[in-house]
């Protein structure tokens, strides 16, 4: 059985949906950050699948940039989370209500 484009896109959509549900329903900041990463990787999967299907290598360059941005996002996000942990002693998103304007 050959794996076709629709399978990749379906997997990508499922992963993206899991990421969205995680961001919307979870309270832990680390889990929310991981769900954002899951969404980025779901988009990367669809880019690679579409590039493979279209025999176009340019989308893989976009994936490389997305991976670089994701790595930077994780570094900055974890630094912020460590700072929050040191100040508040919790990773609960409800504890960040003081950041509201």
């Amino acid at each position: 059985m050959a794996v076709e484009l629709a399978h990749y896109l379906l997997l990508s959509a499922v992963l993206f949906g899991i990421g969205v549900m995680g961001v919307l329903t979870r309270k832990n900041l680390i889990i929310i950050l991981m769900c954002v990463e899951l969404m980025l990787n779901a988009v990367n999967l669809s880019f690679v699948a579409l590039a493979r299907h279209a025999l176009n290598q340019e989308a893989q360059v976009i994936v490389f940039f997305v991976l670089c941005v994701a790595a930077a996002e994780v570094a900055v996000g974890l630094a912020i989370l460590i700072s929050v942990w040191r100040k508040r002693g919790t990773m609960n998103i409800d504890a960040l209500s003081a950041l509201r304007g």
Side-chain angles (χ1 to χ4, degrees):
M1 180 176 144
V3 180
E4 297 186 15
L5 177 64
H7 295 115
Y8 289 114
L9 295 179
L10 179 65
L11 177 63
S12 175
V14 168
L15 290 175
F16 192 85
I18 291 171
V20 168
M21 288 302 296
V23 168
L24 294 178
T25 60
R26 303 301 294 217
K27 299 283 186 181
N28 191 323
L29 292 172
I30 292 176
I31 293 176
I32 292 172
L33 184 65
M34 288 176 13
C35 289
V36 169
E37 291 298 317
L38 184 62
M39 288 190 293
L40 286 173
N41 285 324
V43 172
N44 283 340
L45 178 63
S46 64
F47 271 141
V48 170
L50 290 171
R52 182 173 172 248
H53 179 71
L55 300 177
N56 187 355
Q57 303 301 321
E58 293 174 359
Q60 293 181 5
V61 175
I62 294 172
V63 169
F64 179 73
F65 284 124
V66 170
L67 288 175
C68 292
V69 169
E73 177 227 342
V74 166
V76 172
L78 287 177
I80 291 171
L81 292 181
I82 289 171
S83 176
V84 167
W85 176 259
R86 288 182 180 165
K87 293 267 183 186
R88 311 265 175 185
T90 182
M91 288 289 175
N92 192 343
I93 197 165
D94 292 333
L96 299 178
S97 63
L99 294 178
R100 293 183 186 152

